[in-house]
Amino acid sequence: MDGNGRWASKRFLPRVAGHKQGVDALKRIVSACPSRGISVLTVFAFSSENWSRPAEEVSGLMDILALALSREVPKLQRDGVQIRFVGARDNLSPRVKKGLEDAEAATAANTALTLNVCFNYGGRWDIVSAAAHLAAVGTLITEKSLSGALALAHCGDPDLLIRTGNEKRLSNFLLWQAAYTELYFSSLLWPDFDEPALDSALSEFRTRERRFGKTSDQIAGNVVSDA
Ligand code: FPP
């Protein structure tokens, strides 16, 4: 959800005002997903590296998250959204930790949309934690066992990854899971990302040929496999 800070700076507002606006954009996109056939939405809300931002911005983000959860969980309930937080919890404050746990427990039975909020998350953290866990329990590390030990093991790999704010990097997001994900870059700042912008991304996604290492002919079914 990149571009909140720039959205605020352009309006001579503090960066946290951009993050607040970012929550409104997230609410719009969450509401738009089920009618577009999207059953899993994963957003990057706070990275392992974001702790190094100014203290005022970090505490502002924690407050925004706590407030958004207390306000929005009843609506998530009504809309059948299951919220799950993905990331390390050990260095979060007891207030934030409890907010995450309560929101997850309240929405656990919902099935219309799974909303994964990556918070205090990093792709490298996830891979290292999963590998350390497998090593500790003595499980051989394979693609299958590692995938199953990752924090997003409850979902399939993402089909489409949208990066807003005109940045063209993964920035430690879904490093393992994005191996065959289609990447889409939007120059819109996240607070300006709306339903038409989502529809443009989905239209472009539909034009992509996903080969997963095969040839176009194989995908089209024109080649008889030797295997
Ligand atoms: C990146 O933009 C955005 C963030 C680091 C925070 C995103 C968090 C929210 C929208 C709030 C999350 C709340 C809930 C309920 C999930 P940036 O600050 O890097 O923007 P810039 O690139 O313009 O500086």
Side-chain angles (χ1 to χ4, degrees), residues 24-226:
D24 288 345
L26 179 57
K27 280 157 59 179
R28 284 198 301 270
I29 297 304
V30 167
S31 298
C33 282
S35 64
R36 286 158 175 81
I38 297 167
S39 56
V40 180
L41 174 68
T42 302
V43 294
F44 205 175
F46 192 84
S47 75
S48 317
E49 292 75 30
N50 285 152
W51 291 106
S52 55
R53 290 193 173 198
E56 187 191 340
E57 183 171 346
V58 172
S59 70
L61 272 165
M62 297 295 158
D63 290 345
I64 288 169
L65 177 73
L67 187 67
L69 288 180
S70 65
R71 281 195 186 150
E72 300 303 328
V73 165
K75 171 139 173 50
L76 295 177
Q77 264 310 27
R78 275 200 306 278
D79 294 347
V81 179
Q82 180 184 142
I83 192 165
R84 301 179 74 135
F85 290 92
V86 176
R89 305 232 175 151
D90 42 7
N91 52 348
L92 298 178
S93 74
R95 175 187 66 129
V96 170
K97 218 189 294 188
K98 178 150 184 1
L100 307 191
E101 286 164 2
D102 289 351
E104 285 183 329
T107 63
N110 295 341
T111 55
L113 174 73
T114 300
L115 171 62
N116 296 310
V117 178
C118 293
F119 195 85
N120 201 15
Y121 167 90
R124 290 178 177 176
W125 161 84
D126 195 11
I127 295 168
V128 168
S129 307
H133 167 74
L134 294 177
V137 298
T139 302
L140 187 69
I141 296 180
T142 61
E143 285 199 17
K144 191 161 181 277
S145 68
L146 192 71
S147 291
L150 292 169
L152 278 161
H154 57 284
C155 303
D157 288 345
D159 292 308
L160 172 65
L161 188 154
I162 299 173
R163 173 121 198 204
T164 57
N166 214 21
E167 307 288 3
K168 299 191 178 60
R169 295 185 288 276
L170 284 183
S171 296
N172 206 10
F173 190 45
L174 305 183
L175 294 183
W176 176 276
Q177 296 88 344
Y180 284 99
T181 297
E182 295 298 325
L183 307 180
Y184 179 86
F185 300 103
S186 168
S187 56
L188 290 175
L189 303 176
W190 173 251
D192 296 325
F193 195 83
D194 55 8
E195 293 90 338
L198 176 64
D199 288 331
S200 298
L202 295 175
S203 297
E204 157 126 15
F205 172 74
R206 282 187 211 104
T207 69
R208 304 271 180 97
E209 181 188 56
R210 306 192 70 196
R211 293 195 295 277
F212 299 96
K214 297 186 176 177
T215 67
S216 288
D217 279 345
Q218 285 176 304
I219 298 297
N222 298 335
V223 171
V224 181
S225 164
D226 293 330

